[in-house]
Amino acid sequence: EVQLQASGGGLVQAGGSLRLSCSASGFTFDDYTLGWFRQAPGKEREGVSCIIKSEGKTLYADSVKGRFTISADYAKNTVYLQMNSLKPEDTAVYYCAARYNKPGPRRLLSRTEYEYWGQGTLVTVSS
């Protein structure tokens, strides 16, 4: 059974940093893409970043490029999202998700591509 557990959210001032963690179990990272998504109040869930172990690739939404960094410690089955230079517009519930690496076209920052989801962790950035 695939399980994902996100943690690390909190309240931070604008310009500050937070590191989110996603603890994963029930699958092998070789076969899956791990993604971070966020959902602000009244808005749709949007893709933030993802990491593909089998390809050695990472991907970022334009809105976080240069500020957020996704990484993984595969020995600990954990994926991280380091968030720097936080802005009030980064305030959202952040979710980690897993997507099986099936062949064919893909949109890796689209929530519809991901089969498994963890519970969210709230990030609040004050101005």
Side-chain angles (χ1 to χ4, degrees), residues 51-67:
I51 187 165
I52 315 160
K53 180 187 178 187
S54 59
E55 299 178 15
K57 288 183 180 178
T58 58
L59 189 64
Y60 297 92
D62 288 343
S63 58
V64 306
K65 222 172 267 185
R67 300 189 298 123

Side-chain angles (χ1 to χ4, degrees), residues 4-79:
L4 302 165
Q5 177 93 16
S7 61
L11 174 63
V12 63
Q13 287 189 331
S17 299
L18 276 176
R19 188 177 79 158
L20 305 183
S21 299
C22 176
S23 178
S25 63
F27 65 95
T28 174
F29 281 95
D30 292 321
D31 297 329
Y32 282 78
T33 296
L34 264 289
W36 283 101
F37 291 76
R38 66 186 182 186
Q39 188 165 17
K43 294 190 176 181
E44 291 193 357
R45 193 170 298 186
E46 63 173 357
V48 174
S49 182
C50 68
I51 187 165
I52 315 160
K53 180 187 178 187
S54 59
E55 299 178 15
K57 288 183 180 178
T58 58
L59 189 64
Y60 297 92
D62 288 343
S63 58
V64 306
K65 222 172 267 185
R67 300 189 298 123
F68 291 11
T69 303
I70 192 169
S71 63
D73 184 337
Y74 296 117
K76 294 183 178 180
N77 291 329
T78 302
V79 174

